[in-house]
Amino acid sequence: MQQVLVLNASYEPLNVCTVRRAHVLLYKGKAEVVEKLDQPLRSATGTFIWPHVIRLVHYVRVPRAIQRKISRRALFARDGWRCVYCGTSGGRLTLDHVVPRSKGGESIWENVVTACAPCNLRKGDRLLEETGLVLHRLPRAPAPELFIRLTAATIPVRWQPYLPHSAAA
């Protein structure tokens, strides 16, 4: 299924939607076409442009307090498919709470990291100070671009100017 990149009025990437959803936004005047495909989109009664990138006409404030749920795939992609303690990319990756849940740690982006099985076993149910392990990167909520890169099987070349390169997954 063809996907369309949705940009905010400020050209900030927001999401990916279907061609059908993009056409609804265009028809209602809520979005405009930024990039289109060369081939037309045909229906039984007409021919339409095939949107590839659309931009919302009015700015949508994205509340940062409402964060996307943590998934293993998104977590591993955020951490570059590497253990945040030792930096290895080989072996079995696991999810680890920096402050263990038993000690009041929450399951939020700022407390969950990617760890290889040996590091996770070494840390166990203890705090970092007790184990001698060091975080190579502080955990934080990922940018929306990460989810766009995970949603789309491949990132089309014409989307690249609208996606920051720092979010490459």
Side-chain angles (χ1 to χ4, degrees):
M1 178 179 288
Q2 182 68 35
Q3 295 177 319
V4 178
L5 178 64
V6 180
L7 305 174
N8 210 339
S10 62
Y11 286 88
E12 170 191 11
L14 287 179
N15 208 349
V16 174
C17 72
T18 63
V19 173
R20 181 179 179 158
R21 176 70 178 139
H23 268 285
V24 169
L25 290 170
L26 293 168
Y27 179 75
K28 289 184 172 183
K30 295 185 178 202
E32 64 184 14
V33 176
V34 176
E35 298 269 347
K36 63 180 182 168
L37 295 179
D38 296 332
Q39 62 198 42
L41 190 61
R42 301 184 197 284
S43 73
T45 58
T47 303
F48 307 94
I49 60 167
W50 193 318
H52 197 49
V53 178
I54 62 171
R55 183 180 76 92
L56 299 179
V57 174
H58 298 288
Y59 183 80
V60 175
R61 190 173 129 335
V62 181
R64 298 298 175 201
I66 300 172
Q67 297 179 351
R68 296 186 191 225
K69 291 186 177 187
I70 298 170
S71 69
R72 287 181 184 276
R73 188 167 177 243
L75 177 70
F76 295 165
R78 180 201 69 182
D79 293 340
W81 302 91
R82 296 184 167 281
C83 174
V84 296
Y85 301 121
C86 69
T88 185
S89 59
R92 192 169 68 95
L93 295 177
T94 62
L95 177 147
D96 181 53
H97 288 80
V98 178
V99 176
R101 292 190 337 201
S102 65
K103 298 194 182 346
E106 298 178 69
S107 292
I108 58 174
W109 285 105
E110 293 79 7
N111 190 48
V112 181
V113 295
T114 302
C116 65
C119 286
N120 201 345
L121 187 64
R122 179 177 160 198
K123 182 175 173 291
D125 194 28
R126 298 177 292 173
L127 297 171
L128 288 175
E129 299 82 35
E130 300 171 43
T131 63
L133 291 171
V134 178
L135 284 171
H136 290 291
R137 261 193 291 174
L138 290 176
R140 66 185 214 289
E145 292 83 19
L146 177 83
F147 296 100
I148 290 170
R149 292 180 186 276
L150 289 174
T151 301
T154 58
I155 301 298
V157 174
R158 292 165 81 179
W159 287 12
Q160 292 297 337
Y162 307 101
L163 298 175
H165 296 292
S166 61

